[in-house]
């Protein structure tokens, strides 16, 4: 596909992946807030790129989250208080190796990059939303209205999308191809998120996937999701408070 204007070069030999430790996630949503600010996501986009579900299932003990606990009965994004007897599960674009969204895109706007990121060329997107229907993770968002963001809040490294196109998580490509972590990883207060190069056997993500009990969402679809969830029990002293509001300097690299 035609490379979008301003896109960074792919780092040779790198394939990005993410690990989320459900035993450490406290459901505070800082990842979602930071993602919104970092990636110029307007208020008209809802839900955000990162959806954090409160579930009944004790995923860290059972080792598997039943489908009805992930989407639908037994799970909700609409919680205002963090609870000790609940588990929290972030869900976002899984950057699948064999991505259904890429298969159905009629213009090639959605494509799989060699470094493992599923990208969108906004100039080629015609807004047909086939990709939204095909995504098994409900991870894509459509711009129904022209996005409005105060000029002082715009991240110049991230292109502003237009009305009538689809957008989603990019694994913070403007950061990760510069050797930085995704913003959601940086702001997690409990270090529940780990990001890195799965082609490197010595990377933290590779070691965790190889050594810890884990699963991937809807792996039976054979789409090859690039996000793994650790199912270890809760390991840290948890802080129970209201979900954290956006904080100053939430955006990182400019």
């Amino acid at each position: 596909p035609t490379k979008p204007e301003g896109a960074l070069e792919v780092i040779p030999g790198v394939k990005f992946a993410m690990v989320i430790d459900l035993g450490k996630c406290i459901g505070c949503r800082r990842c979602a807030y930071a993602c919104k600010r970092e990636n110029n996501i307007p208020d008209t986009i809802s839900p955000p790129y990162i959806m954090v579900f409160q579930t009944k299932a004790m995923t860290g003990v059972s080792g598997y989250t039943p489908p009805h606990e992930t989407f639908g009965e037994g799970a909700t994004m609409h919680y205002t208080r963090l609870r000790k007897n609940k588990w929290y599960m972030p869900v976002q674009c899984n950057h699948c190796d064999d991505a259904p969204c890429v298969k159905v895109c009629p213009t090639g706007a959605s494509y799989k990059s060699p470094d493992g990121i599923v990208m969108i060329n906004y100039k080629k997107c015609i807004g047909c939303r086939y990709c939204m229907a095909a995504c098994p993770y409900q991870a894509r968002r459509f711009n129904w209205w022209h996005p409005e963001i105060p000029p002082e809040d715009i991240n110049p490294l991230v292109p502003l999308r237009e009305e009538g196109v689809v957008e989603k998580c990019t694994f913070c490509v403007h950061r990760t191809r510069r050797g930085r972590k995704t913003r959601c990883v940086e702001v997690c207060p409990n270090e529940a998120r780990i990001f890195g190069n799965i082609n490197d056997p010595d990377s933290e993500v590779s070691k965790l996937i190889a050594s810890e009990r884990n699963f991937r969402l809807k792996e039976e679809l054979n789409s090859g999701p690039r996000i793994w969830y650790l199912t270890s029990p809760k390991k840290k002293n948890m802080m129970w408070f209201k979900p954290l509001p956006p904080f100053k300097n939430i955006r990182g690299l400019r």
Side-chain angles (χ1 to χ4, degrees):
T2 303
K3 186 167 63 175
E5 183 179 353
L8 294 170
E9 295 293 335
V10 174
I11 303 173
V14 168
K15 193 166 188 178
F16 293 121
M18 183 176 288
V19 171
I20 300 176
D21 190 335
L22 298 180
K24 293 182 179 180
C25 179
I26 59 175
C28 67
R29 299 192 187 116
R30 275 206 174 193
C31 55
Y33 290 131
C35 174
K36 177 181 173 70
R37 294 289 298 276
E38 179 72 26
N39 290 286
N40 297 332
I41 303 173
D43 292 338
T44 51
I45 294 294
S46 182
Y49 289 175
I50 300 175
M51 303 172 286
V52 183
F53 290 89
Q54 177 179 271
T55 76
K56 294 179 181 178
M58 296 183 65
T59 309
V61 175
S62 66
Y64 182 72
T65 300
H68 71 275
E69 291 284 5
T70 307
F71 299 109
E73 183 181 357
T76 180
M77 290 190 295
H78 307 292
Y79 58 89
T80 57
R81 181 182 177 187
L82 305 181
R83 302 177 184 276
K84 291 184 178 181
N85 62 339
K86 301 290 185 179
W87 287 77
Y88 296 91
M89 185 174 194
V91 178
Q92 63 197 77
C93 174
N94 275 248
H95 297 278
C96 304
D97 280 338
D98 191 18
C101 57
V102 172
K103 290 181 179 179
V104 301
C105 180
T107 66
S110 292
Y111 63 97
K112 182 73 174 179
S113 174
D115 57 6
I117 303 176
V118 173
M119 298 284 291
I120 301 176
N121 185 334
Y122 303 116
K123 292 184 178 180
K124 298 177 72 174
C125 178
I126 59 174
C128 67
R129 291 173 283 157
Y130 285 176
C131 59
M132 295 181 69
C135 176
Y137 304 105
Q138 304 174 21
R140 290 185 167 232
R141 308 288 179 262
F142 186 70
N143 275 288
W144 290 99
W145 299 276
H146 181 75
E148 295 184 2
I149 300 175
E152 65 272 16
D153 291 339
I154 293 176
N155 185 347
L157 295 180
V158 180
L160 294 174
R161 283 74 67 190
E162 297 293 333
E163 176 185 349
V165 302
V166 176
E167 60 181 78
K168 65 170 193 67
C169 160
T170 66
F171 268 170
C172 287
V173 64
H174 59 288
R175 298 171 58 87
T176 52
R177 287 184 182 171
R178 286 184 167 92
R180 300 284 294 270
K181 297 177 182 178
T182 64
R183 190 64 178 138
C184 61
V185 169
E186 283 192 347
V187 302
C188 180
N190 238 17
E191 299 182 352
R193 289 171 170 264
I194 304 94
F195 183 82
N197 177 18
I198 201 172
N199 279 350
D200 178 5
D202 294 324
S203 68
E204 188 176 3
V205 288
S206 295
K207 290 179 179 179
L208 287 172
I209 292 168
S211 63
E212 299 285 346
R213 187 171 57 180
N214 62 73
F215 69 95
R216 291 183 285 175
L217 279 179
K218 300 187 177 182
E219 193 171 6
E220 65 276 7
L221 298 180
N222 297 317
S223 61
R226 309 305 300 173
I227 293 181
W228 278 260
Y229 292 89
L230 300 188
T231 60
S232 53
K234 293 181 179 179
K235 292 175 290 188
K236 288 199 170 185
N237 294 327
M238 311 298 280
M239 296 179 293
W240 305 103
F241 39 61
K242 293 181 179 180
L244 297 172
F247 48 94
K248 292 182 179 180
N249 301 321
I250 195 169
R251 193 170 63 219
L253 185 66
R254 287 175 176 253

